[in-house]
Amino acid sequence: VSTQSTWGISMDYQHRAGSRPGAGPMPSREDSNIERKERMKRMALDTIDISKDPYFLKNHIGTFECRLCLTLHTTEASYLAHTQGKKHQTNLARRQAKDMKDVQAFPQQRIRLPKRRTIKIGRPGYKVTKQNDTENSQRSLLFELDYPEIEPKIQPRFRVMSSYEQKQEQPDDRYQYLLVAAEPYETVAFKIPNLEIDFSERKHYTHWDAEKHLYTLQVTFKEKKKSGNGCLLYTSYAADDTPCV
């Protein structure tokens, strides 16, 4: 198919690229954009719940606003078509980037649970035995603490504390403190020599007898240190609510 204009120039519409007999001329770029917007509008109406859009607002005169882009729209379809456009998508990306930056700049504070308060019923009964290993001359202390009214499913725990951590006495670098805790009893602290403790399997020993409610702890020192009368020194007192591990 060809036509001839008044100027004598013939145009062939049949053999040009993308044409087929009876299809008519190729759509222009404007027509393609209009058709694409209409297709996206129909898809948005079928898949998007506009009531859940945080930026959608219906004003008092019956038109619709985009609170993100500050644009007005006469119909919901027009608003949905706007949400699929470049301007709205760019503003969404900027808002998400800003929100992420604010979260990093202002991290959420950790929620601290209130400290558990338990009515204390006094100190547990205890016995301390000084021991001496004849093979290598290592000295040790054996602690036996009695907890007859300990709470169910609770086992005593212990920790070693530096002299500078406690607040009961003036710090003295010659001593350290062995704390034993079990609710509802008061935490008991034993003042022992500031020597390196041997935590090897055969030297360090703990045992909880659930039937007799007896807690046994053996502390062995790697070095030898004597007082004036040749014995290890220790004292004990009730500590504050210092947690044991």
Side-chain angles (χ1 to χ4, degrees):
V1 178
S2 62
T3 59
Q4 187 172 3
S5 65
T6 56
W7 299 95
I9 301 174
S10 61
M11 300 181 63
D12 186 2
Y13 289 100
Q14 182 176 0
H15 298 94
R16 64 179 180 170
S19 68
R20 67 178 183 272
M26 291 288 292
S28 64
R29 180 177 296 180
E30 294 180 358
D31 294 335
S32 298
N33 289 337
I34 293 175
E35 195 277 333
R36 180 180 59 82
K37 291 181 179 180
E38 290 296 330
R39 185 173 66 255
M40 295 177 64
K41 185 187 301 184
R42 292 192 299 269
M43 291 176 59
L45 286 172
D46 295 337
T47 58
I48 298 178
D49 187 1
I50 198 172
S51 61
K52 297 181 180 180
D53 190 339
Y55 304 112
F56 174 75
L57 175 65
K58 185 177 182 180
N59 57 29
H60 64 285
I61 59 177
T63 58
F64 307 97
E65 299 181 14
C66 176
R67 295 190 291 181
L68 179 63
C69 306
L70 303 179
T71 56
L72 290 174
H73 306 275
T74 56
T75 62
E76 292 184 358
S78 175
Y79 172 81
L80 289 173
H82 162 74
T83 60
Q84 306 302 316
K86 181 178 180 181
K87 181 178 181 180
H88 189 81
Q89 295 297 325
T90 302
N91 289 336
L92 276 178
R94 290 176 179 174
R95 175 57 63 89
Q96 292 176 357
K98 182 179 181 298
D99 292 343
M100 290 296 296
K101 185 177 180 180
D102 292 343
V103 170
Q104 295 176 359
F106 303 99
Q108 295 183 356
Q109 296 182 353
R110 294 182 180 179
I111 300 177
R112 294 186 177 181
L113 298 178
K115 187 176 180 180
R116 182 181 177 183
R117 297 294 181 180
T118 305
I119 299 177
K120 303 297 183 180
I121 62 175
R123 302 186 198 181
Y126 64 87
K127 176 183 178 182
V128 182
T129 304
K130 301 174 184 179
Q131 302 177 131
N132 184 18
D133 191 343
T134 57
E135 294 182 0
N136 51 23
S137 300
Q138 276 187 294
R139 297 178 180 270
S140 62
L141 294 172
L142 180 66
F143 299 88
E144 296 176 295
L145 296 95
D146 189 20
Y147 294 96
E149 298 182 23
I150 191 172
E151 292 186 359
K153 299 182 180 181
I154 296 292
Q155 292 188 13
R157 297 176 297 170
F158 82 95
R159 66 165 294 196
V160 179
M161 175 186 290
S162 167
S163 175
Y164 297 94
E165 293 182 66
Q166 56 86 28
K167 299 179 181 179
Q168 299 289 335
E169 300 179 350
Q170 291 293 329
D172 189 344
D173 57 5
R174 296 177 300 172
Y175 301 99
Q176 58 187 337
Y177 295 82
L178 176 69
L179 277 65
V180 184
E183 294 181 350
Y185 290 88
E186 295 179 358
T187 300
V188 180
F190 296 92
K191 186 176 180 181
I192 61 178
N194 188 17
L195 302 175
E196 185 178 1
I197 297 176
D198 190 349
F199 286 100
S200 60
E201 183 177 356
R202 298 184 60 182
K203 299 299 182 180
H204 181 71
Y205 174 78
T206 59
H207 176 68
W208 167 242
D209 190 334
E211 295 183 358
K212 297 181 180 180
H213 295 170
L214 181 66
Y215 182 66
T216 306
L217 169 64
Q218 178 176 288
V219 177
T220 303
F221 302 97
K222 288 186 177 181
E223 300 178 7
K224 296 180 294 181
K225 187 173 182 179
K226 299 180 180 180
S227 64
N229 58 2
C231 298
L232 286 171
L233 293 175
Y234 77 91
T235 56
S236 66
Y237 58 88
D240 55 3
D241 294 335
T242 305
C244 293
V245 294

